Amino acid sequence: MELSPDETIFWEHGFITINLTLVTTWVLMLFLIVTSILITRRLKTDIQISRWQCVLEMLVTGMNKQIKEIGLEKPEKFIGFIGTMFIFIAFANLCIIFPGYIPPTSSLSTTAALAISVFLAVPMFGIAESGILGYLKTYVQPTFIMLPFNIISELSRTLALAVRLFGNIMSGGLIVTILLSIAPLLFPVLMTVLGLITGIIQAYIFSILATVYIAAATQESESKRVKRKKVIQ
Amino acid sequence: MKINWFTLIAQIINFLVLMWLLKRYLYKPILNAIDERENKIVAQLKDAEAKKAEAEKERNEFKKKNETFDRQKGELMQKAIEESNAEGLKIKEEARNEANALKAKLEKNIQDSQENRNREIAQKIQQEVVTITKKTLTDLSSASLEEQSVLTFIKKINELKEDEKQKLILTLTSRKNPILVKSAFKLSNKQQTEIQQSINAVLDVESQFQFKIAPELIIGIELSANGYKLSWSISEYINSLEKSMNDSAKENVKTALEKG
């Protein structure tokens, strides 16, 4: 029994391996990009808009709102990263309704890649927002003693992100596979429905956590901005 | 459950590529479209607000104009009523004046016609009276009416009261022209002499006399000098009769107008 789509290899040459994870990812990417282009090609700026445009606008504005609620004042800056993460994970997880489909998120390599992306993005956004010193200061908050704990937390949360998503999705797929052999009728369908919910929730959790981490890293400059605002008012 | 490092790196690259593409083809156009639409809606709302304000302004202006118009209408109406009332009163006054003028004219006409009639009657009566008197006097005495009248005139001179006599003397003595004696008929030399003698007797002076015939006296003799007049003629009695008749006619007209 294959636990990961990484194990399904189509082509291999030394270090380079083209496996099911990569192929599925490319197909999903292609689909997302083509759909986006098709929909945004005919965007209207009138009061009446098409249904697809409405759905996309709802999605984008919803994400913007969520990012803002967590504490990032300018969501347009972060939606590229956080939004893409949510859309990719959610879409990859929702496609489990297609028989024989194995989501790339059930591969630890993919989830680890996403977690590493978050791990790298957090300091990048933090430095971009409040400078190197400002960002580094967040490691000694609230006191200097917390520095090692903060570093450990940084690493462990990245690991947790990767494993959480991987565990949830992989387990979902595994359960359906196992159940198919035990109770092939109806029950796997219910589990698939449950898997859809889990997939969406996991996408949400992953993105929200990434946002929270970024928000924490940019907290310094945010708090300064808030103070400035208060002073001005 | 192991990590394929190539897959991991490839997935990071994939994710970055996807991020860049989605940013370009999804978020940017969508956010731009949303912004543009929001701006459009805001502009439309502003425009609507401005139009509403303008409409409100126009409504107020219209209301104000309407009020002014109503007020002016009322004023004009009031003025017209006042003018028409004044005109009515004027017309009424004019009509009343005209009626009064007509009434006066009518009264005058009636009066004139009455007077004419009276005059005619008087003349007729005078003529009748003269005729009757002439006839009667002729019948009654041997002397003619002319003789009687001369005698009556001489008698009147002789019977003058003292103050009248003084007045006559004063007037006749201060004159320059001859004493004018008018008579309805031609006086005979004897009659003329008698008159002259009686006057001279009163004046106690010889005076110049001029005799003239005046048919309007009907019967009688008139002496005049320097505005002084002494006469006896039937026309005096007739005038008195005519006056009395005229008074009576006037009274009748007045009564008729009051009734009518």
Side-chain angles (χ1 to χ4, degrees), chain A residues 144-176:
Chain A
F144 186 76
I145 307 158
M146 294 301 285
L147 178 66
F149 299 104
N150 278 332
I151 295 167
I152 293 166
S153 132
E154 198 81 11
L155 295 168
S156 63
R157 74 190 186 190
T158 308
L159 186 69
L161 271 179
V163 175
R164 186 188 302 111
L165 181 63
F166 161 73
N168 272 287
I169 305 305
M170 185 273 286
S171 63
L174 200 64
I175 287 166
V176 171

Side-chain angles (χ1 to χ4, degrees), chain B residues 126-169:
Chain B
Q126 276 176 359
Q127 283 164 4
E128 286 296 319
V129 167
V130 169
T131 317
I132 291 163
T133 313
K134 267 185 179 176
K135 202 167 184 297
T136 312
L137 288 172
T138 314
D139 290 347
L140 285 175
S141 73
S142 56
S144 67
L145 183 59
E146 282 86 6
E147 284 169 344
Q148 282 299 322
S149 67
V150 171
L151 287 174
T152 312
F153 182 66
I154 291 165
K155 195 182 172 189
K156 196 174 181 181
I157 291 168
N158 293 332
E159 287 174 359
L160 273 175
K161 287 174 185 168
E162 196 55 38
D163 56 333
E164 282 180 348
K165 200 180 268 178
Q166 286 305 318
K167 204 175 169 187
L168 178 69
I169 294 164

